[in-house]
Amino acid sequence: MSRAGFYDKVDNALGGIRDDGLWKGERVITSPQGGTVDVDGAGEVLNFCANNYLGLADHPDIINGASDAMNRSGYGMASVRFICGTTDQHRTLESEIADYVRTDDSILFAACFDANGGLFEPLLGEGDAIVSDSLNHASIIDGMRLCKASRYRFATRDIDDLRRQLVAARSHHADNILIATDGVFSMDGYIADLAAICRVADEFDALVMVDDCHATGLIGPEGRGTPSLHGVSDRVDILTSTLGKALGGAMGGFVAARQSVVDLLRQRSRPYLFSNSLSPGLVGGARVAIKLAIEGDSRRERLNDNATRFRRLMTDAGFQLSGHGHPIIPVHLGEAEIATEMAARLLDKGVYVTAFSFPVVPRGSARIRTQMNASHHSDDIDRAVAAFIDVGRDLDVIGP
Ligand SMILES: *Cc1c(COP(=O)(O)O)cnc(C)c1O
């Protein structure tokens, strides 16, 4: 194909995305992240689409922690970890993360996307098998693709199908078998049943890996995550998560596991070996965020109250929701155009939510994913529900 042909192909792809109503625009925010934000062109609006579950993204103690760390260690490390990019603070954060999620040690990455991308290839190879939930995050799917292990997929949260896939892996004489699951399925709002998964894992002597990005900081006692919620912290072999959601919402990811596993990742994981060390500011901020999360019972209580209230009022109003026991509450709408139109009209009414459509969710199952936040008050929830009802009636999503 000619160069001109290539650019025509790109233009056609863009046209197709627009024609299908799947275009993802980006609204511009001109305030700090919070329960309310200033959106360019829309003014101050209630924010129901951030992963800022504990409301820590603009917390002054975290900002001070970040700024103290930068004053001490500078802005950037200009190195990967093993050359000259490891400060005492990096090591301290790694052991604090490990204590928080109850493992031997942890290893930092630039993002959880990288943690998942660099996890599987050093640990598993030809002859091994990964049995993966069908709704697992894109980064797990990409990480598995970079590894030579055979892949088996089970229907999301379906323990019988998980067992069938484990039988299949065994019958193909898989050596090591690793079950991989999200702790929370972020498009649907469900928490994985890790107790059941670990029981089945025991039957097959399989390893268990959990991506807890939407749980760390908010789910389980002191926000220690879904393994703690289900009492299986000792049985889960590998936990990956992010510093970019409840824990202050900046960036950074990690793998937490047994010492030997973390040690091998430090030697072999490509996104760790070949990518820059986290900035000292991110490290200092994350250390304070973990402390606030441990002490965050009142934030988690407000978060849960908000989620319970929103779920109850929206169900009463006739909306079709999914999820359970988590502040992600998706409102199912079907066609992408309706979801996009609904989100636009809600913004006009001062409620900022985002429509999710293909390829983030399957075609024809577009939704508005709402996410509650500990900074919201009960009257914020009521205002949001009232706006949903107004717009929902106008668009015939719910009855009059
Ligand atoms: C957000 C998310 C990631 C990516 O985390 P980043 O740190 O933003 O790269 C990975 N897995 C899951 C389940 C997530 O929700």
Side-chain angles (χ1 to χ4, degrees):
M1 200 198 279
S2 63
R3 269 176 78 215
F6 167 77
Y7 290 110
D8 286 346
K9 204 174 108 178
V10 171
D11 287 338
N12 284 340
L14 291 171
I17 294 168
R18 282 186 216 274
D19 292 347
D20 291 349
L22 299 176
W23 190 264
K24 287 163 189 62
E26 296 179 3
R27 307 223 183 258
V28 175
I29 292 171
T30 56
S31 67
Q33 183 62 272
T36 61
V37 287
D38 295 335
V39 172
D40 199 19
E44 188 184 275
V45 294
L46 287 168
N47 187 2
F48 284 94
C49 49
N51 300 312
N52 185 22
Y53 297 111
L54 298 180
L56 296 179
D58 61 348
H59 196 289
D61 293 357
I62 297 180
I63 297 169
N64 286 334
S67 122
D68 289 349
M70 277 197 283
N71 287 329
R72 189 164 160 251
S73 304
Y75 171 63
M77 294 311 297
S79 172
V80 298
R81 286 287 297 273
F82 82 90
I83 300 180
C84 56
T86 300
T87 67
D88 54 338
Q89 299 293 297
H90 288 88
R91 283 303 299 138
T92 306
L93 174 59
E94 285 171 333
S95 57
E96 285 169 352
I97 288 170
D99 287 345
Y100 188 43
V101 300
R102 305 209 182 289
T103 57
D104 290 351
D105 198 1
S106 80
I107 168 174
L108 290 167
F109 288 81
C112 189
F113 205 103
D114 289 328
N116 288 336
L119 173 69
F120 301 99
E121 186 260 342
L123 302 178
L124 300 168
E126 233 165 313
D128 297 323
I130 306 171
V131 182
S132 170
D133 187 289
S134 62
L135 282 193
N136 275 347
H137 191 263
S139 54
I140 296 179
I141 295 167
D142 287 6
M144 291 191 303
R145 281 182 184 147
L146 294 171
C147 152
K148 294 218 167 67
S150 336
R151 302 191 290 266
Y152 298 81
R153 208 166 79 130
F154 64 98
T156 188
R157 298 181 297 116
D158 182 337
I159 298 297
D160 294 331
D161 197 35
L162 168 60
R163 190 178 275 110
R164 276 192 290 277
Q165 300 308 319
L166 286 163
V167 168
R170 272 273 173 267
S171 72
H172 288 96
H173 306 292
D175 190 4
N176 300 296
I177 302 180
L178 172 77
I179 301 170
T181 181
D182 281 8
V184 172
F185 294 96
S186 61
M187 289 303 139
D188 293 35
Y190 292 103
I191 298 175
D193 186 351
L194 290 189
I197 289 173
C198 288
R199 273 196 302 277
V200 179
D202 279 342
E203 286 172 37
F204 291 82
D205 201 18
L207 297 147
V208 176
M209 172 268 177
V210 177
D211 173 344
D212 231 10
C213 279
H214 286 276
T216 306
L218 64 145
I219 296 296
E222 295 172 311
R224 290 176 197 270
T226 47
S228 285
L229 175 74
H230 290 290
V232 293
S233 299
D234 288 346
R235 180 57 180 83
V236 169
D237 294 281
I238 297 168
L239 186 119
T240 66
S241 192
T242 185
L243 305 173
K245 288 178 174 136
L247 297 180
M251 64 185 303
F254 60 85
V255 177
R258 279 197 201 179
Q259 194 62 57
S260 57
V261 169
V262 170
D263 290 348
L264 185 56
L265 292 174
R266 278 193 213 283
Q267 300 303 314
R268 292 275 170 78
S269 180
R270 293 166 67 83
Y272 184 81
L273 289 171
F274 296 106
S275 186
N276 205 33
S277 178
L278 271 195
S279 140
L282 294 171
V283 173
R287 291 193 55 204
V288 179
I290 290 172
K291 190 170 138 288
L292 291 173
I294 292 170
E295 298 163 356
D297 278 348
S298 64
R299 287 173 191 278
R300 279 182 289 274
E301 202 171 305
R302 236 178 307 144
L303 178 63
N304 290 333
D305 288 351
N306 288 339
T308 306
R309 186 180 188 90
F310 185 82
R311 187 172 278 289
R312 176 171 55 78
L313 294 174
M314 289 289 283
T315 303
D316 290 351
F319 286 100
Q320 195 197 327
L321 310 178
S322 64
H324 178 76
H326 193 276
I328 291 175
I329 306 178
V331 182
H332 289 262
L333 298 159
E335 291 314 312
E337 289 86 349
I338 295 194
T340 306
E341 179 64 21
M342 186 146 183
R345 293 199 194 187
L346 282 163
L347 189 66
D348 290 341
K349 291 184 181 291
V351 176
Y352 185 17
V353 292
T354 307
F356 285 72
S357 53
F358 183 83
V360 181
V361 296
R363 280 187 200 275
S365 74
R367 65 203 69 172
I368 285 174
R369 179 181 73 176
T370 67
Q371 292 169 283
M372 305 301 121
N373 181 316
S375 324
H376 292 139
H377 301 283
S378 58
D379 42 327
D380 296 333
I381 304 297
D382 295 354
R383 254 184 65 205
V385 172
F388 263 99
I389 290 174
D390 278 354
V391 176
R393 283 183 180 148
D394 288 347
L395 293 176
D396 283 332
V397 171
I398 54 171

